Amino acid sequence: MKSRKSSEATVSKFGNSEYHANEKDVEPLGAETLIEGEAITATDRDYMTLLVTTEPCNKEVRFWRDELRKTAPFPIYDAEAFTVHVPDVEVMRELQLTVAGQSNAVLVAGFVPDAPADGFRVRSKKAIEEKTEEPYEGGWVDIDGERVISRTKDNFVASSWWQIDRDRASGLPDALDPDTDAGYVAMIDRIIPGFINAGYVKVSSTTGRVLVDSVPMDATGSRYWFQVKNPDDITGFGVRMKLHAATQGLGFMKYDKNCKGVLWTVADCSVFSPERVIFDGQPYIPEGQARISLRDPDLVVVQGGRVNSELV
């Protein structure tokens, strides 16, 4: 991967995209919603990546033989990509609203530091190798006159934006599942000292946006997007967080179908990786699903500072 040079690296900034939360026939998000922005500097890490596909790439919700099914997101083999500058919680809220209105858009937790300002293309490693007919070893490649890169850890740089992914795993004790948001934030503060004073944007799970016969499904999870002082501390942070949670009495054993147990805590600690895709876009509802509709996303913005992750 090329080294970061502020004279070469530029960023696209999203404009005011119209939000369509409850319409199924929505024009796909595309390059026309983006405008050229400023150069990526050597010290600013307040960036994320927006991926836009030609087909839906978020979770699908449908009835099948009178059973409501939620299927996994569609694989992303090929996508337009845009680097987005996200300096604060207000801009993060706007970005979340933009993504929430589109079934063909997702976020990547990190960014490519020397990405072109007018966007670039991200393809899977397999798709690149099929086109080039040679092993892909990372970095940029030229395919049909277009710069292409793969979504791998070596190609992406950690953003200042990290997430707490509240996913109520099986086996979660009632004592570790507070009823209030304040109670949960206080619990995370015991794991990540100073989190209680952090600024964040809380995004409820996409499942909670789905209405069946006008009744909302249970929203079992949520994300808390917050900023850190040192993005490079991301390496190994998930393991440290899980172990520190256990020392605070906030760990438990989660068992799989084979009764194999793993240490777990009140948040998913596997999400701290810069190339990770975040499926916060609009759930895809196929045609003919008249009983299913969508409501607006539930966003909460809290003002505050950045977290010192090195205290964990």
Side-chain angles (χ1 to χ4, degrees):
M1 185 176 67
K2 293 182 179 180
S3 60
R4 184 169 6 149
K5 298 179 181 179
S6 59
S7 60
E8 295 181 359
T10 51
V11 60
S12 295
K13 180 179 179 182
F14 62 94
N16 294 320
S17 302
E18 186 176 359
Y19 174 54
H20 304 272
N22 296 307
E23 298 178 21
K24 297 178 185 178
D25 298 325
V26 178
E27 284 296 318
L29 182 66
E32 69 276 2
T33 65
L34 301 157
I35 58 175
E36 185 174 341
E38 67 276 20
I40 295 176
T41 67
T43 57
D44 190 352
R45 300 281 285 274
D46 300 340
Y47 301 100
M48 299 182 73
T49 304
L50 176 68
L51 298 186
V52 181
T53 59
T54 57
E55 300 292 336
C57 59
N58 282 278
K59 296 177 182 178
E60 178 181 291
V61 182
R62 66 159 68 205
F63 273 102
W64 176 255
R65 295 178 179 176
D66 294 326
E67 179 185 353
L68 185 66
R69 293 188 176 182
K70 183 179 70 172
T71 58
F74 296 84
I76 298 176
Y77 299 109
D78 187 2
E80 285 186 281
F82 305 94
T83 309
V84 184
H85 190 209
V86 192
D88 53 42
V89 292
E90 294 297 339
V91 178
M92 173 58 85
R93 176 184 179 277
E94 184 181 348
L95 177 59
Q96 289 294 332
L97 285 174
T98 299
V99 174
Q102 305 291 339
S103 62
N104 69 317
V106 295
L107 292 174
V108 179
F111 65 98
V112 181
D114 55 352
D118 57 351
F120 56 102
R121 187 156 297 280
V122 169
R123 290 185 176 179
S124 68
K125 180 175 180 289
K126 181 179 179 181
I128 290 177
E129 291 177 341
E130 287 177 350
K131 273 288 188 179
T132 60
E133 297 183 341
E134 58 185 33
Y136 177 69
E137 298 180 351
W140 295 99
V141 295
D142 185 277
I143 298 178
D144 299 328
E146 186 177 31
R147 295 184 78 195
V148 179
I149 201 166
S150 184
R151 186 179 53 81
T152 59
K153 184 178 295 187
D154 290 341
N155 288 338
F156 279 74
V157 169
S159 168
S160 66
W161 286 99
W162 295 6
Q163 60 166 313
I164 296 296
D165 186 352
R166 185 181 188 181
D167 187 7
R168 292 176 170 88
S170 59
L172 176 68
D174 290 342
L176 301 186
D177 189 18
D179 295 331
T180 66
D181 193 54
Y184 183 74
V185 169
M187 195 171 283
I188 294 298
D189 186 67
R190 292 169 57 188
I191 304 173
I192 307 176
F195 188 82
I196 202 163
N197 296 316
Y200 61 81
V201 177
K202 178 190 173 186
V203 185
S204 293
S205 68
T206 53
T207 303
R209 294 182 56 195
V210 177
L211 304 174
V212 179
D213 299 327
S214 300
V215 177
M217 294 180 65
D218 290 334
T220 58
S222 54
R223 305 185 201 280
Y224 296 74
W225 286 104
F226 67 102
Q227 288 176 285
V228 296
K229 295 180 178 179
N230 179 16
D232 290 327
D233 189 46
I234 199 170
T235 303
F237 181 80
V239 174
R240 286 159 40 207
M241 178 179 172
K242 186 186 298 186
L243 293 176
H244 187 59
T247 67
Q248 299 298 307
L250 300 175
F252 64 97
M253 296 302 293
K254 184 177 92 167
Y255 294 90
D256 62 18
K257 62 182 180 180
N258 298 315
C259 297
K260 181 180 180 181
V262 294
L263 178 63
W264 210 254
T265 185
V266 297
D268 186 348
C269 295
S270 68
V271 300
F272 301 101
S273 192
E275 84 288 0
R276 189 178 182 92
V277 171
I278 314 299
F279 295 95
D280 277 343
Q282 179 171 288
Y284 173 63
I285 303 174
E287 293 184 5
Q289 301 290 318
R291 295 178 58 191
I292 304 175
S293 59
L294 297 173
R295 63 176 177 178
D296 292 352
D298 183 14
L299 299 179
V300 176
V301 177
V302 174
Q303 299 290 340
R306 301 192 182 211
V307 169
N308 183 2
S309 59
E310 296 176 23
L311 296 177
V312 177

